[in-house]
Amino acid sequence: AIQLSKLKKDTIKIAHGYANIGMVYNFDKHIRNLDSALYFTKKAEPILIRKKDNNNLSYNYNNLGKIYLNLKDYNKAISYFLKADSIPLKRNETKSKLIYYENLAEAYTLNNDYKNATIYLNKFILTKDSINDIEQNKAISKLNTEKIKAEKVKVEIKNKRINNILVITICLFIFGVITAFLIQKNTKRKQLLAEQEKELQKQKAETLLKDQEINSINA
């Protein structure tokens, strides 16, 4: 990754690569090499300062503090943890502070400075409580959002059902009107046919009567 970043002249990515190598040498117990961890982590520092990458510079100082903690140089560890804590962060500030306060409390305890250890332990507890409160509020907010969504879906289903009933009712009404119209039209047609049939029968009767009269006259 560093070689590719060098080809692209991406100095920030080069610094991140050095910092990551330093972390592996510090935290991986199978290949732990604290001298190499210091070398690579410190190699990243000037680039991060020059590029004003405050977030990663803060994390880098914290990692240096962890290396010196493993080296049992507690004063240097504390100084780097304090440096990490002093840099304003643009993202993940609360969670980062939680890590820094825990590390400071541990370093001060190992350095037999129980007063400062207590101060940072209290800060750690307060920060953790605030994160829990934030997470709890997020969970409640999410629950309320889901509830509102569920209610909205329920209303939409109800409205859809009402609309369907309305459409069916209108269709049945139109069908009823058309059916009534057709029945009425058919009835009138039947009446007209009946009247025509009656008139035809009348004409036949009249014709028959006339024929009888002619026959009588002829006779």
Side-chain angles (χ1 to χ4, degrees):
I2 290 169
Q3 291 304 318
L4 289 170
S5 298
K6 282 180 178 178
L7 287 172
K8 293 173 71 177
K9 296 181 181 179
D10 190 341
T11 51
I12 281 285
K13 289 289 172 67
I14 293 167
H16 293 173
Y18 290 148
N20 288 335
I21 292 170
M23 283 179 66
V24 175
Y25 276 126
N26 184 35
F27 290 104
D28 193 327
K29 292 177 182 178
H30 300 290
I31 59 164
R32 177 170 283 174
N33 186 323
L34 297 178
D35 289 335
S36 295
L38 271 177
Y39 172 77
F40 283 105
T41 309
K42 283 189 173 181
K43 203 170 180 182
E45 183 184 350
I47 302 172
L48 296 172
I49 292 170
R50 191 168 67 251
K51 291 292 182 179
K52 297 179 181 179
D53 187 355
N54 287 342
N55 265 67
N56 283 299
L57 179 62
S58 178
Y59 304 152
N60 205 58
Y61 283 146
N62 181 67
N63 291 337
L64 281 167
K66 292 293 286 185
I67 295 166
Y68 280 113
L69 203 64
N70 287 330
L71 287 167
K72 302 187 188 309
D73 190 340
Y74 304 128
N75 286 321
K76 277 193 176 180
I78 289 164
S79 70
Y80 276 110
F81 288 142
L82 289 171
K83 271 187 175 183
D85 186 37
S86 68
I87 297 173
L89 301 176
K90 290 182 179 178
R91 58 187 183 276
N92 299 327
E93 183 178 11
T94 310
K95 288 185 178 180
S96 297
K97 294 285 184 185
L98 187 70
I99 294 166
Y100 300 162
Y101 296 154
E102 185 178 24
N103 290 340
L104 279 161
E106 183 186 359
Y108 277 122
T109 302
L110 292 169
N111 207 33
N112 298 319
D113 185 347
Y114 301 112
K115 183 180 178 182
N116 280 313
T118 305
I119 289 168
Y120 281 98
L121 187 61
N122 285 332
K123 282 187 175 186
F124 170 79
I125 292 165
L126 289 171
T127 306
K128 192 174 183 181
D129 287 345
S130 72
I131 289 173
N132 289 338
D133 289 342
I134 291 166
E135 293 300 324
Q136 190 177 17
N137 289 336
K138 280 182 181 177
I140 291 167
S141 177
K142 188 178 179 181
L143 189 66
N144 288 334
T145 304
E146 292 299 323
K147 192 177 178 181
I148 290 165
K149 281 183 181 177
E151 289 296 326
K152 192 178 177 182
V153 169
K154 197 185 286 184
V155 169
E156 284 176 357
I157 291 169
K158 190 178 178 181
N159 289 339
K160 195 172 181 181
R161 193 179 294 155
I162 291 167
N163 288 336
N164 288 340
I165 291 168
L166 187 63
V167 168
I168 291 166
T169 305
I170 291 168
C171 289
L172 287 172
F173 175 74
I174 292 169
F175 177 76
V177 169
I178 292 169
T179 304
F181 172 75
L182 291 172
I183 290 169
Q184 189 180 11
K185 189 177 179 182
N186 192 48
T187 303
K188 282 185 177 180
R189 188 167 148 276
K190 282 182 179 179
Q191 284 177 349
L192 183 64
L193 285 171
E195 286 175 3
Q196 287 176 347
E197 181 69 24
K198 192 177 178 182
E199 185 66 28
L200 188 64
Q201 290 297 330
K202 187 180 176 182
Q203 286 178 359
K204 280 183 179 180
E206 287 176 354
T207 302
L208 184 63
L209 188 60
K210 282 180 182 179
D211 288 343
Q212 286 177 351
E213 286 177 356
I214 290 168
N215 288 332
S216 297
I217 290 167
N218 288 334

